[in-house]
Amino acid sequence: MTRVLDATNGVVFFALALFALWTACFGGFDPIYQRGLAVAAAFAAVVCARRLARPNRWLAALDLGLVAAFAWGVWLFMERTAEAVDLFVDYSPVDQWSALAATLALIEVTRREFGGPLAAVAGLSLGYCFAGPWLPGALYHAGFSLDQTMQFVWYGFQGVFGLPVGVVLDTILVFIVFGVVLGGTGAADTLMKVAFALTGRLRGGPAHAAIVSSCVFGTMSGSVTANVVGTGTFTIPMIRRRGFPPVFAGALETAASTGGQIMPPVMGAAAFLMADLTGTPYAQVCLAALAPALLYYLSLFLSVIFEVRRIGVEPIPLAERTGLTSRDLVRSLSFVAPIAVIIGVLVMGRSPALAGFWATVAALVFGLVNVEFREDPLRILRTLRAAGAASANILIAVAGIGVILAVLNLTGIGLTFASLVNAFAGDSLLVALLLTAAASLVLGMGMPTVPAYLVIVLVLGPTLRQLGVEMIAMHLFVLYFGVMSALTPPVALAAFAAAPIAGANPLPIAVRAMRLALVGFLMPFAFVFDPALLLIGDFDLLAWAWAGAKVTVATWLVASAVAGWDAAKLAPLDRIAALVSALAIISAGTIAAPVGLAAGLALLARRRVFPGASVRAGAKQPSPQTNERRTPGQERKGEAT
C-alpha cells in the first residue's frame, strides 16, 4: 500500500511540474478550475508525502479527513463560483461550514509545512473576522457572519483562490521547476567548478568561489535552504580545508545563498511577482534591484578578504589550482545557456512565463552534455518529480496567504495597522521602517522567498506607501527583510541547513551569518532614503553616482567593522567609528550623509597610510597559517574576534 501511495504521489508531483510548463507555454484555462484543481492536487500530495515520510497509523486517519474536507471544499468552490458567474448564489449552511472546514485544513497543513508564524497569522486573521465586536480600540469592528467571511475567504477570487495563486500558477511555478531542473542536470556542480577556477588566484579561494556559485545558483533556485544544501555540500568542506573556521564557512555559505534571492535577473522568481504586483516592467525591476544586490555581494567579498588577512591564509599554490578544460567550458553551457535564454526571450518582448519555459527546455537540452545526466534517463523523471514537490509546497503557502489577503480586504485591518504604525511613528519615517523591518523578519521566518515576500508586502506594504515611500523601494524593502529572515535567529533555517555540513552549532553560524550579511539589513534603508540608487523615475547620472559612491564607502566601512580588520587589525574605537560613519552615510539627513562620507573616507585613508595606528597597543599580529587545515584549538582561537 505504501508503494502504491508513493507512486501515486510521484505521478501527482510529476503532473504538477508538467502543468507548470504547459501553462507557461500555452496559457491556462478557466481560472475557477485551474486554481481549484491545482491547489487541491498540491494539498493532497503534500499531506501524503509528509505521512509517507513519517508513517503513523493513527495520524493517517486525521490526514485522510483533512484531504477529504479540503477536496469537498474545493469541489464546492468550483461549483458555486461557476454558478456565481451568471447569477447570485445563496450559500447554504452546508456550503459555509464546508468552506470553513477546508480553510482550517489548509491552515493546519500550512503549519506542518512552514511552521507556526504563517499559520498563526492566517488563523488569527480568520478569527479576527468573528471576534471584532469584542476587541478594543482600533481593532474593533462590527463583526462578520460565517456567510460573509467564507464568501471572501473561500468562494470567489478574493481569498484562497485569489490573485496570489493565479500569479504563482501563471508565472512563478515555471521558475520553481526551472531551478530544480537546473540542479538536477548537474549544472550546479559545473558552476562551482567554474567559480573555483575563476577565483583560484585569490587568497580566499573556495570562500570567494562559494560566493559566486551561491549567487548565480541562488537567484534561480527560489529557496535559500535548497541553495545552501545544493552548493554548500561542496563549498563548505573546501572552505574549511583552506583554514577557515567551521562557523565562518557555514556562515559565509548561508549569507551568500541568502543573497541569491535578491540578485537579478530571477531573484528566486520574486522579480516576476514584483513586476506583476507593481505594474512595473520586469526589466525595470531587475535594473532597480541590481546595484543593491551587487553591493551586498561586495560586502561578502570584502569580508572574506578581511578574514583571510586576520587568520593569515596564503594563496593556493599554483600546482594545486584547478583549471578549466575544454570539456568544462562545454559543460558550462548547462547554466550559461538557460540564463541567456531568459534574457533573450524577455528582450524579444515575450512574457516572463514563456522565458521560464524555454529556459527549462534549454536546461534539459544542454544538461545532456553532462555524462551522468545523459546516462541516467530516469533522472529527468526524478528531477521533474522534485520540481512538482517544490511547486506543491509553494502553492500551499500562497493559498494560506490568500486567507490573510481576504481578511485584509474584508475588515480593512491593513489600513488600521498602517494607521497604528503612523500614530506610533509620528512623522518619523525611520521608526516606521524599523517597525516594518522587525515585522517582516517575524512574518518571513521559515518560508521560501515567494510566499515570504508576498505575505509581507500584502500586510505591511500599505504602511510604507502611506508614508510616501516609492513603490519599487517599498517592495524591495520588504523583500530584503523577508529574505534575511532565513538567517535570522531563532528560526534561521539556512543556518540549520549549513550546520551539519560545517560540523558546527547552528546558532553561532546564524549569528556570524547576520554579521556577514549586515549590509543586507542596512541596504533597504539606504535605497528608501535615497531612491536614486534604484534608478527610479527620471535618470539623473549625478544623483545615481552620488548614491552609489556613498553606499559603496558605507559597505566597505561596515564589512571592515564587522570583521575587525582592514589593512591591519582595527581597534574597538575604529570599528565603532566606522559603523557610525556608515549609518550617517545611509541616513536621510542632507548634512549627515556628506559628513559621514568625509569621516569614512578619512578613516579608510588613515588605515592605509598608518595601518598600525588602528591596532591596540601591544596587540599581537597573527602569523600566517599554512594551507593545511588548522587544529581545533586554532579554529577556536580564530573565532575569538
Side-chain angles (χ1 to χ4, degrees):
M1 183 63 183
T2 301
R3 291 184 178 180
V4 173
L5 190 59
D6 182 55
T8 304
N9 226 33
V11 170
V12 174
F13 284 143
F14 184 78
L16 276 174
L18 293 183
F19 174 76
L21 294 171
W22 174 274
T23 302
C25 184
F26 301 105
F29 47 95
D30 189 328
I32 296 173
Y33 301 104
Q34 180 190 21
R35 299 179 190 183
L37 292 174
V39 174
F43 184 94
V46 165
V47 171
C48 291
R50 177 167 285 269
R51 189 52 50 221
L52 286 169
R54 298 179 180 178
N56 187 304
R57 183 180 302 175
W58 301 105
L59 292 180
L62 173 62
D63 290 344
L64 182 62
L66 290 174
V67 172
F70 194 81
W72 174 246
V74 170
W75 171 262
L76 290 177
F77 157 76
M78 294 189 295
E79 187 177 61
R80 298 293 181 266
T81 307
E83 294 174 358
V85 173
D86 301 317
L87 48 88
F88 178 78
V89 177
D90 183 21
Y91 298 99
S92 68
V94 173
D95 295 336
Q96 298 169 31
W97 286 101
S98 297
L100 178 62
T103 304
L104 293 176
L106 174 62
I107 294 174
E108 164 59 17
V109 174
T110 302
R111 181 196 64 79
R112 295 182 183 183
E113 295 300 311
F114 301 98
L118 178 58
V121 173
L124 291 173
S125 298
L126 186 62
Y128 179 67
C129 293
F130 308 112
W134 296 278
L135 295 176
L139 296 177
Y140 171 84
H141 62 78
F144 298 92
S145 66
L146 181 61
D147 184 23
Q148 293 171 312
T149 302
M150 289 300 105
Q151 285 188 47
F152 265 79
V153 171
W154 191 260
Y155 296 107
F157 297 119
Q158 300 93 353
V160 171
F161 305 98
L163 174 65
V165 166
V167 172
V168 167
L169 286 174
D170 294 338
T171 305
I172 303 302
L173 280 194
V174 67
F175 284 95
I176 302 299
V177 174
F178 168 59
V180 177
V181 167
L182 202 64
T185 60
D189 297 334
T190 305
L191 170 62
M192 284 186 288
K193 188 170 184 180
V194 172
F196 273 91
L198 294 176
T199 58
R201 297 183 180 182
L202 301 175
R203 290 174 66 186
H208 286 116
I211 296 173
V212 174
S213 59
S214 297
C215 170
V216 177
F217 187 71
T219 188
M220 296 175 286
S221 70
S223 170
V224 176
T225 52
N227 192 15
V228 169
V229 175
T231 60
T233 304
F234 184 69
T235 58
I236 292 176
M238 290 290 291
I239 295 171
R240 289 192 59 183
R241 283 197 291 270
R242 284 289 294 134
F244 291 92
V247 170
F248 181 85
L252 181 67
E253 178 60 44
T254 298
S257 296
T258 300
Q261 309 300 290
I262 58 175
M263 174 60 74
V266 181
M267 296 166 63
F272 308 104
L273 185 58
M274 188 179 299
D276 193 90
L277 293 177
T278 62
T280 305
Y282 163 77
Q284 187 174 337
V285 170
C286 290
L287 194 60
L290 183 59
L294 290 176
L295 288 170
Y296 175 81
Y297 276 101
L298 172 63
S299 73
L300 295 184
F301 262 85
L302 291 172
S303 296
V304 171
I305 291 172
F306 299 148
E307 183 72 9
V308 162
R309 294 174 182 174
R310 186 177 72 83
I311 64 177
V313 172
E314 294 298 321
I316 300 176
L318 183 61
E320 298 179 15
R321 296 176 191 171
T322 58
L324 292 178
T325 64
S326 57
R327 182 183 178 186
D328 294 327
L329 294 176
V330 172
R331 292 185 62 173
S332 67
L333 291 173
S334 61
F335 65 87
V336 172
I339 297 175
V341 167
I342 291 177
I343 297 173
V345 173
L346 292 173
V347 168
M348 293 169 59
R350 309 305 292 272
S351 69
L354 191 61
F357 170 79
W358 286 114
T360 306
V361 172
L364 290 171
V365 171
F366 285 96
L368 294 176
V369 302
N370 183 352
V371 177
E372 291 81 3
F373 183 70
R374 191 168 60 244
E375 292 179 349
D376 185 7
L378 294 180
R379 187 169 177 175
I380 185 173
L381 300 180
R382 295 194 298 271
T383 299
L384 288 176
R385 171 176 174 157
S391 301
N393 277 330
I394 294 294
L395 278 174
I396 293 300
V398 174
I401 292 170
V403 177
I404 303 170
L405 178 61
V407 174
L408 291 175
N409 292 331
L410 179 62
T411 64
I413 185 60
L415 296 176
T416 301
F417 180 79
S419 300
L420 290 174
V421 172
N422 286 339
F424 186 82
D427 296 329
S428 174
L429 175 60
L430 176 60
V431 175
L433 290 174
L434 290 172
L435 291 174
T436 304
S440 298
L441 289 174
V442 173
L443 289 175
M445 285 182 179
M447 287 192 287
T449 300
V450 168
Y453 159 65
L454 191 56
V455 69
I456 294 167
V457 80
L458 292 175
V459 175
L460 302 175
T463 303
L464 297 183
R465 287 295 291 155
Q466 283 192 1
L467 293 170
V469 178
E470 294 280 353
M471 177 70 77
I472 292 295
M474 178 271 288
H475 278 259
L476 284 174
F477 184 92
V478 298
L479 173 65
Y480 263 67
F481 282 100
V483 167
M484 291 300 159
S485 66
L487 53 76
T488 306
V491 178
L493 287 184
F496 277 86
I501 306 173
N505 190 293
L507 186 57
I509 289 179
V511 173
R512 188 64 182 269
M514 284 186 66
R515 291 171 55 190
L516 293 174
L518 183 58
V519 168
F521 291 92
L522 298 177
M523 189 62 66
F525 294 91
F527 58 65
V528 166
F529 290 142
D530 194 350
L533 187 64
L534 303 179
L535 297 172
I536 295 176
D538 296 332
F539 178 68
D540 186 333
L541 179 60
L542 185 61
W544 178 80
W546 163 250
K550 68 178 185 178
V551 178
T552 300
V553 173
T555 299
W556 192 295
L557 291 170
V558 170
S560 63
V562 169
W565 206 276
D566 195 332
K569 188 172 184 178
L570 303 181
L573 288 178
D574 197 318
R575 300 171 69 176
I576 294 172
L579 283 176
V580 172
S581 298
L583 293 176
I585 288 172
I586 66 173
S587 69
T590 55
I591 298 177
V595 172
L597 181 60
L601 289 173
L603 278 173
L604 294 178
R606 184 176 64 83
R607 292 174 185 176
R608 273 139 192 83
V609 177
F610 305 105
S614 296
V615 187
R616 291 195 302 266
K620 185 178 179 180
Q621 296 287 344
S623 58
Q625 300 288 336
T626 66
N627 290 328
E628 300 297 327
R629 182 176 171 181
R630 297 182 301 165
T631 65
Q634 289 174 315
E635 290 175 349
R636 287 193 295 270
K637 184 178 180 181
E639 283 296 296
T641 301

